[in-house]
Amino acid sequence: MKIFFNNSCSICRSEINVYKKQGIKRLEWIDITNNKKAEKETKKNDKDLLRRLHVKSNDKIYSGAEAFIVLWGQMPKFRLLGKILSLPIIFHIFALSYEFVAFFLYLKKIGRAHVW
């Protein structure tokens, strides 16, 4: 499984580092920052990749909250969290919350990239 994450975001990087410490060999961590190969493999442009976490599993791309559910399903310490957050009503709240936070992290990132 491949996890496409934004290493240029300090919050994203910190969270991914927690997951990396689990030492799960079947997970491949790919920084999407200025990564044309990742864009091609996921069929997402750089803005889409920067905006959300993406996971490729069994040739399918998962994005956002759904990507976290797939990722956590592979991590014993996070599996229960994934199961709880994948319950229908809870998943809806989780997905909306994720999109809200991801949007503002993305705005913060692109705000730094522009000279105002």
Side-chain angles (χ1 to χ4, degrees):
M1 181 179 339
K2 294 182 180 181
I3 298 87
F4 298 88
F5 71 100
N6 183 355
N7 198 52
S8 66
C9 167
S10 61
I11 294 170
C12 307
R13 182 177 51 251
S14 295
E15 183 172 3
I16 292 299
N17 285 337
V18 169
Y19 301 150
K20 285 180 176 181
K21 288 178 183 176
Q22 304 303 307
I24 300 170
K25 304 288 184 212
R26 65 184 171 273
L27 301 180
E28 183 180 346
W29 305 96
I30 300 169
D31 176 15
I32 54 84
T33 311
N34 300 317
N35 187 335
K36 295 293 181 190
K37 185 178 176 185
E39 290 176 38
K40 186 176 180 179
E41 184 171 352
T42 61
K43 297 180 176 68
K44 306 274 183 189
N45 64 39
D46 62 332
K47 290 178 183 174
D48 287 338
L49 285 173
L50 286 170
R51 177 81 168 71
R52 293 175 187 86
L53 178 79
H54 296 80
V55 169
K56 183 176 182 182
S57 179
N58 299 321
D59 291 324
K60 183 174 178 184
I61 303 293
Y62 300 89
S63 299
E66 191 175 31
F68 276 98
I69 298 298
V70 172
L71 173 60
W72 293 335
Q74 299 298 310
M75 308 177 89
K77 289 186 177 182
F78 293 89
R79 197 167 286 136
L80 180 59
L81 176 63
K83 286 182 181 190
I84 292 169
L85 292 177
S86 67
L87 295 170
I89 292 172
I90 296 172
F91 179 78
H92 184 69
I93 295 167
F94 170 49
L96 288 172
S97 300
Y98 174 84
E99 289 300 321
F100 180 78
V101 171
F103 176 73
F104 284 102
L105 288 175
Y106 176 72
L107 286 180
K108 180 180 168 187
K109 171 66 179 161
I110 63 169
R112 275 195 225 138
H114 293 88
V115 177
W116 300 101

